[in-house]
PDB file of all heavy atoms in Angstrom:
ATOM      1  N   ASN A 113      82.027 145.499 146.716  1.00 98.00           N
ATOM      2  CA  ASN A 113      81.314 146.105 145.578  1.00 98.00           C
ATOM      3  C   ASN A 113      79.786 145.890 145.694  1.00 98.00           C
ATOM      4  O   ASN A 113      79.021 146.652 145.175  1.00 98.00           O
ATOM      5  CB  ASN A 113      81.856 145.557 144.264  1.00 98.00           C
ATOM      6  CG  ASN A 113      81.734 144.076 144.099  1.00 98.00           C
ATOM      7  OD1 ASN A 113      82.372 143.319 144.838  1.00 98.00           O
ATOM      8  ND2 ASN A 113      80.859 143.624 143.188  1.00 98.00           N
ATOM      9  N   PHE A 114      79.398 144.845 146.399  1.00 97.00           N
ATOM     10  CA  PHE A 114      77.960 144.604 146.589  1.00 97.00           C
ATOM     11  C   PHE A 114      77.322 145.614 147.560  1.00 97.00           C
ATOM     12  O   PHE A 114      76.099 145.698 147.671  1.00 97.00           O
ATOM     13  CB  PHE A 114      77.713 143.159 147.102  1.00 97.00           C
ATOM     14  CG  PHE A 114      78.298 142.879 148.474  1.00 97.00           C
ATOM     15  CD1 PHE A 114      77.496 142.990 149.599  1.00 97.00           C
ATOM     16  CD2 PHE A 114      79.656 142.591 148.629  1.00 97.00           C
ATOM     17  CE1 PHE A 114      78.058 142.733 150.860  1.00 97.00           C
ATOM     18  CE2 PHE A 114      80.206 142.324 149.859  1.00 97.00           C
ATOM     19  CZ  PHE A 114      79.374 142.395 150.990  1.00 97.00           C
ATOM     20  N   LEU A 115      78.188 146.381 148.215  1.00 98.00           N
ATOM     21  CA  LEU A 115      77.714 147.506 149.092  1.00 98.00           C
ATOM     22  C   LEU A 115      78.119 148.834 148.462  1.00 98.00           C
ATOM     23  O   LEU A 115      78.593 149.730 149.135  1.00 98.00           O
ATOM     24  CB  LEU A 115      78.331 147.382 150.496  1.00 98.00           C
ATOM     25  CG  LEU A 115      77.863 146.174 151.326  1.00 98.00           C
ATOM     26  CD1 LEU A 115      78.617 146.109 152.625  1.00 98.00           C
ATOM     27  CD2 LEU A 115      76.374 146.218 151.564  1.00 98.00           C
ATOM     28  N   ASN A 116      77.960 148.905 147.153  1.00 97.00           N
ATOM     29  CA  ASN A 116      78.257 150.167 146.397  1.00 97.00           C
ATOM     30  C   ASN A 116      79.725 150.589 146.578  1.00 97.00           C
ATOM     31  O   ASN A 116      80.026 151.756 146.725  1.00 97.00           O
ATOM     32  CB  ASN A 116      77.326 151.295 146.821  1.00 97.00           C
ATOM     33  CG  ASN A 116      75.879 151.020 146.436  1.00 97.00           C
ATOM     34  OD1 ASN A 116      75.602 150.520 145.321  1.00 97.00           O
ATOM     35  ND2 ASN A 116      74.966 151.315 147.329  1.00 97.00           N
ATOM     36  N   TYR A 117      80.617 149.579 146.611  1.00 98.00           N
ATOM     37  CA  TYR A 117      82.062 149.845 146.676  1.00 98.00           C
ATOM     38  C   TYR A 117      82.432 150.612 147.905  1.00 98.00           C
ATOM     39  O   TYR A 117      83.293 151.541 147.894  1.00 98.00           O
ATOM     40  CB  TYR A 117      82.551 150.612 145.417  1.00 98.00           C
ATOM     41  CG  TYR A 117      82.343 149.805 144.154  1.00 98.00           C
ATOM     42  CD1 TYR A 117      81.182 149.917 143.411  1.00 98.00           C
ATOM     43  CD2 TYR A 117      83.336 148.948 143.683  1.00 98.00           C
ATOM     44  CE1 TYR A 117      81.005 149.176 142.217  1.00 98.00           C
ATOM     45  CE2 TYR A 117      83.158 148.200 142.503  1.00 98.00           C
ATOM     46  CZ  TYR A 117      81.976 148.334 141.800  1.00 98.00           C
ATOM     47  OH  TYR A 117      81.805 147.601 140.619  1.00 98.00           O
ATOM     48  N   LEU A 118      81.812 150.277 149.002  1.00 98.00           N
ATOM     49  CA  LEU A 118      82.075 150.980 150.263  1.00 98.00           C
ATOM     50  C   LEU A 118      83.510 150.906 150.727  1.00 98.00           C
ATOM     51  O   LEU A 118      84.005 151.747 151.450  1.00 98.00           O
ATOM     52  CB  LEU A 118      81.141 150.428 151.373  1.00 98.00           C
ATOM     53  CG  LEU A 118      81.149 151.074 152.723  1.00 98.00           C
ATOM     54  CD1 LEU A 118      80.724 152.550 152.626  1.00 98.00           C
ATOM     55  CD2 LEU A 118      80.218 150.348 153.685  1.00 98.00           C
ATOM     56  N   ASP A 119      84.198 149.830 150.292  1.00 98.00           N
ATOM     57  CA  ASP A 119      85.605 149.675 150.694  1.00 98.00           C
ATOM     58  C   ASP A 119      86.558 150.648 150.019  1.00 98.00           C
ATOM     59  O   ASP A 119      87.598 151.022 150.646  1.00 98.00           O
ATOM     60  CB  ASP A 119      86.058 148.234 150.401  1.00 98.00           C
ATOM     61  CG  ASP A 119      85.766 147.807 148.955  1.00 98.00           C
ATOM     62  OD1 ASP A 119      84.802 148.285 148.349  1.00 98.00           O
ATOM     63  OD2 ASP A 119      86.537 146.983 148.435  1.00 98.00           O
ATOM     64  N   LEU A 120      86.262 151.065 148.831  1.00 98.00           N
ATOM     65  CA  LEU A 120      87.226 151.854 148.037  1.00 98.00           C
ATOM     66  C   LEU A 120      87.608 153.181 148.720  1.00 98.00           C
ATOM     67  O   LEU A 120      88.812 153.503 148.814  1.00 98.00           O
ATOM     68  CB  LEU A 120      86.710 152.105 146.610  1.00 98.00           C
ATOM     69  CG  LEU A 120      86.573 150.884 145.760  1.00 98.00           C
ATOM     70  CD1 LEU A 120      86.222 151.277 144.302  1.00 98.00           C
ATOM     71  CD2 LEU A 120      87.823 150.037 145.766  1.00 98.00           C
ATOM     72  N   PRO A 121      86.670 154.014 149.236  1.00 98.00           N
ATOM     73  CA  PRO A 121      87.103 155.229 149.881  1.00 98.00           C
ATOM     74  C   PRO A 121      87.952 154.983 151.122  1.00 98.00           C
ATOM     75  O   PRO A 121      88.868 155.772 151.423  1.00 98.00           O
ATOM     76  CB  PRO A 121      85.778 155.936 150.238  1.00 98.00           C
ATOM     77  CG  PRO A 121      84.694 154.927 150.126  1.00 98.00           C
ATOM     78  CD  PRO A 121      85.185 153.955 149.100  1.00 98.00           C
ATOM     79  N   PHE A 122      87.690 153.880 151.854  1.00 98.00           N
ATOM     80  CA  PHE A 122      88.503 153.563 153.035  1.00 98.00           C
ATOM     81  C   PHE A 122      89.912 153.112 152.616  1.00 98.00           C
ATOM     82  O   PHE A 122      90.903 153.506 153.244  1.00 98.00           O
ATOM     83  CB  PHE A 122      87.825 152.504 153.868  1.00 98.00           C
ATOM     84  CG  PHE A 122      86.635 153.000 154.654  1.00 98.00           C
ATOM     85  CD1 PHE A 122      85.334 152.814 154.158  1.00 98.00           C
ATOM     86  CD2 PHE A 122      86.816 153.698 155.830  1.00 98.00           C
ATOM     87  CE1 PHE A 122      84.254 153.288 154.878  1.00 98.00           C
ATOM     88  CE2 PHE A 122      85.709 154.151 156.582  1.00 98.00           C
ATOM     89  CZ  PHE A 122      84.445 153.962 156.093  1.00 98.00           C
ATOM     90  N   LEU A 123      89.996 152.322 151.571  1.00 98.00           N
ATOM     91  CA  LEU A 123      91.319 151.931 151.106  1.00 98.00           C
ATOM     92  C   LEU A 123      92.096 153.156 150.621  1.00 98.00           C
ATOM     93  O   LEU A 123      93.298 153.254 150.852  1.00 98.00           O
ATOM     94  CB  LEU A 123      91.158 150.910 149.936  1.00 98.00           C
ATOM     95  CG  LEU A 123      90.586 149.570 150.309  1.00 98.00           C
ATOM     96  CD1 LEU A 123      90.399 148.709 149.035  1.00 98.00           C
ATOM     97  CD2 LEU A 123      91.430 148.844 151.322  1.00 98.00           C
ATOM     98  N   LYS A 124      91.384 154.062 149.964  1.00 98.00           N
ATOM     99  CA  LYS A 124      92.039 155.274 149.521  1.00 98.00           C
ATOM    100  C   LYS A 124      92.498 156.144 150.706  1.00 98.00           C
ATOM    101  O   LYS A 124      93.617 156.669 150.701  1.00 98.00           O
ATOM    102  CB  LYS A 124      91.050 156.087 148.683  1.00 98.00           C
ATOM    103  CG  LYS A 124      91.666 157.232 147.864  1.00 98.00           C
ATOM    104  CD  LYS A 124      92.378 156.708 146.655  1.00 98.00           C
ATOM    105  CE  LYS A 124      92.776 157.829 145.734  1.00 98.00           C
ATOM    106  NZ  LYS A 124      93.510 157.346 144.569  1.00 98.00           N
ATOM    107  N   MET A 125      91.666 156.197 151.740  1.00 98.00           N
ATOM    108  CA  MET A 125      92.005 156.954 152.934  1.00 98.00           C
ATOM    109  C   MET A 125      93.228 156.407 153.586  1.00 98.00           C
ATOM    110  O   MET A 125      94.082 157.157 154.123  1.00 98.00           O
ATOM    111  CB  MET A 125      90.799 156.934 153.884  1.00 98.00           C
ATOM    112  CG  MET A 125      90.985 157.806 155.145  1.00 98.00           C
ATOM    113  SD  MET A 125      89.631 157.509 156.342  1.00 98.00           S
ATOM    114  CE  MET A 125      88.186 157.775 155.321  1.00 98.00           C
ATOM    115  N   PHE A 126      93.382 155.090 153.563  1.00 98.00           N
ATOM    116  CA  PHE A 126      94.508 154.444 154.200  1.00 98.00           C
ATOM    117  C   PHE A 126      95.715 154.308 153.251  1.00 98.00           C
ATOM    118  O   PHE A 126      96.691 153.607 153.537  1.00 98.00           O
ATOM    119  CB  PHE A 126      94.126 153.090 154.745  1.00 98.00           C
ATOM    120  CG  PHE A 126      93.390 153.134 156.056  1.00 98.00           C
ATOM    121  CD1 PHE A 126      92.044 153.442 156.128  1.00 98.00           C
ATOM    122  CD2 PHE A 126      94.054 152.928 157.279  1.00 98.00           C
ATOM    123  CE1 PHE A 126      91.359 153.494 157.338  1.00 98.00           C
ATOM    124  CE2 PHE A 126      93.388 152.990 158.478  1.00 98.00           C
ATOM    125  CZ  PHE A 126      92.043 153.276 158.515  1.00 98.00           C
ATOM    126  N   ARG A 127      95.643 155.017 152.121  1.00 97.00           N
ATOM    127  CA  ARG A 127      96.713 155.106 151.155  1.00 97.00           C
ATOM    128  C   ARG A 127      97.157 153.741 150.598  1.00 97.00           C
ATOM    129  O   ARG A 127      98.342 153.492 150.401  1.00 97.00           O
ATOM    130  CB  ARG A 127      97.931 155.846 151.763  1.00 97.00           C
ATOM    131  CG  ARG A 127      97.586 157.270 152.152  1.00 97.00           C
ATOM    132  CD  ARG A 127      98.814 158.037 152.631  1.00 97.00           C
ATOM    133  NE  ARG A 127      98.455 159.438 153.006  1.00 97.00           N
ATOM    134  CZ  ARG A 127      99.326 160.328 153.407  1.00 97.00           C
ATOM    135  NH1 ARG A 127     100.605 159.996 153.575  1.00 97.00           N
ATOM    136  NH2 ARG A 127      98.924 161.536 153.682  1.00 97.00           N
ATOM    137  N   LYS A 128      96.199 152.920 150.322  1.00 98.00           N
ATOM    138  CA  LYS A 128      96.477 151.651 149.705  1.00 98.00           C
ATOM    139  C   LYS A 128      96.524 151.881 148.164  1.00 98.00           C
ATOM    140  O   LYS A 128      95.814 152.739 147.664  1.00 98.00           O
ATOM    141  CB  LYS A 128      95.381 150.632 150.004  1.00 98.00           C
ATOM    142  CG  LYS A 128      95.134 150.433 151.518  1.00 98.00           C
ATOM    143  CD  LYS A 128      96.344 149.860 152.252  1.00 98.00           C
ATOM    144  CE  LYS A 128      96.002 149.590 153.679  1.00 98.00           C
ATOM    145  NZ  LYS A 128      97.155 148.975 154.401  1.00 98.00           N
ATOM    146  N   LYS A 129      97.330 151.092 147.475  1.00 98.00           N
ATOM    147  CA  LYS A 129      97.397 151.141 146.020  1.00 98.00           C
ATOM    148  C   LYS A 129      96.276 150.331 145.464  1.00 98.00           C
ATOM    149  O   LYS A 129      96.123 149.130 145.733  1.00 98.00           O
ATOM    150  CB  LYS A 129      98.713 150.579 145.556  1.00 98.00           C
ATOM    151  CG  LYS A 129      98.978 150.699 144.053  1.00 98.00           C
ATOM    152  CD  LYS A 129      99.661 152.003 143.745  1.00 98.00           C
ATOM    153  CE  LYS A 129     100.089 152.042 142.278  1.00 98.00           C
ATOM    154  NZ  LYS A 129     100.909 153.259 141.971  1.00 98.00           N
ATOM    155  N   ILE A 130      95.395 150.965 144.673  1.00 98.00           N
ATOM    156  CA  ILE A 130      94.223 150.275 144.113  1.00 98.00           C
ATOM    157  C   ILE A 130      94.359 150.177 142.575  1.00 98.00           C
ATOM    158  O   ILE A 130      94.430 151.184 141.879  1.00 98.00           O
ATOM    159  CB  ILE A 130      92.919 151.065 144.438  1.00 98.00           C
ATOM    160  CG1 ILE A 130      92.783 151.247 145.953  1.00 98.00           C
ATOM    161  CG2 ILE A 130      91.709 150.362 143.872  1.00 98.00           C
ATOM    162  CD1 ILE A 130      91.646 152.171 146.367  1.00 98.00           C
ATOM    163  N   ILE A 131      94.395 148.924 142.106  1.00 98.00           N
ATOM    164  CA  ILE A 131      94.480 148.643 140.692  1.00 98.00           C
ATOM    165  C   ILE A 131      93.223 147.893 140.312  1.00 98.00           C
ATOM    166  O   ILE A 131      92.953 146.794 140.771  1.00 98.00           O
ATOM    167  CB  ILE A 131      95.726 147.779 140.350  1.00 98.00           C
ATOM    168  CG1 ILE A 131      96.990 148.538 140.762  1.00 98.00           C
ATOM    169  CG2 ILE A 131      95.775 147.454 138.861  1.00 98.00           C
ATOM    170  CD1 ILE A 131      98.262 147.644 140.729  1.00 98.00           C
TER     171      ILE A 131
END
Side-chain angles (χ1 to χ4, degrees):
N113 59 294
F114 64 98
L115 294 176
N116 296 318
Y117 297 91
L118 185 61
D119 52 329
L120 294 187
F122 286 98
L123 294 176
K124 193 78 170 177
M125 185 188 307
F126 280 81
R127 298 185 178 181
K128 307 295 184 178
K129 185 90 171 187
I130 303 172
I131 301 169

